[in-house]
Amino acid sequence: MSGVSVTRDVFSMTVSVPDDLVGMPTDGDTDGDTGSGDTGSGDTGSGDTGSGDTGREWAAWLGMTCGPVDGRSALVLVSVTVTAYTPPPGASGAAALAALLRAQHPEGSALVEEFTTASGSPAVSIRRVATKRAGGRDVTTGQAQALVIYPGPGALGVVSGICPDPADLERAAALVTGIAAGMTVTGASAAA
């Protein structure tokens, strides 16, 4: 495992990524290095987690893994990020986040599961096959995310995986859940 430690804005995040993942440059990064330091400065998505905060996320680490599976190459792209998150009033743990994700993906269009990390943080995983129109054609991918709630610093750690072949969805889901299970996020002032 290779360690990534990033302090950015109000959060300090530490995460281990498997050695077979190859780091790629994040916004503002030129070499995809997985060493410690500020490896991310751009945004990777809307950051809208239902908390009312639609601020932008920043990519702390990007990587990919590719290996033979059943006579073909299986590719998974991975992104690790953290964003501000405040559960709705009266909600605690992962239940509110899981309910939000289930509402966004009705009728079984995604598998949403709650889990707890080894450190006791509540978390949610989601996996689905998605088809989007791109370049004038339909593109179908497997998508998996693990979202870990850190109530103390008011953060949501997010590990996302996408695989161009939906047959690799379970591999992507296991990868992102494993990475998220070892992630830690604190307030930047607490880490100093």
Side-chain angles (χ1 to χ4, degrees):
M1 295 288 227
S2 299
V4 177
S5 180
V6 179
T7 298
R8 178 84 177 165
D9 298 325
V10 298
F11 302 115
S12 180
M13 179 177 66
T14 303
V15 62
S16 295
V17 296
D19 290 332
D20 66 331
L21 268 78
V22 176
M24 300 182 329
T26 60
D27 292 341
D29 184 16
T30 57
D31 62 6
D33 181 21
T34 61
S36 63
D38 183 357
T39 60
S41 61
D43 57 79
T44 60
S46 70
D48 186 3
T49 57
S51 66
D53 174 12
T54 57
R56 304 298 279 181
E57 297 174 356
W58 50 271
W61 190 86
L62 296 173
M64 62 166 277
T65 183
C66 185
V69 173
D70 298 330
R72 61 183 177 76
S73 293
L75 174 69
V76 178
L77 304 171
V78 177
S79 172
V80 180
T81 193
V82 65
T83 190
Y85 177 74
T86 304
S92 63
L97 184 56
L100 174 71
L101 291 171
R102 286 185 182 108
Q104 290 177 354
H105 303 283
E107 301 174 16
S109 62
L111 176 60
V112 178
E113 299 175 306
E114 295 177 45
F115 67 101
T116 303
T117 67
S119 65
S121 296
V124 177
S125 67
I126 180 170
R127 67 189 87 170
R128 69 188 186 119
V129 173
T131 301
K132 301 259 182 188
R133 193 114 180 113
R137 63 186 181 97
D138 288 340
V139 177
T140 301
T141 60
Q143 300 174 1
Q145 283 189 310
L147 304 102
V148 183
I149 301 167
Y150 298 94
L156 184 69
V158 181
V159 183
S160 303
I162 187 166
C163 46
D165 187 338
D168 299 319
L169 181 56
E170 292 305 313
R171 181 173 187 240
L175 182 62
V176 300
T177 302
I179 292 170
M183 178 189 303
T184 61
V185 175
T186 60
S189 60

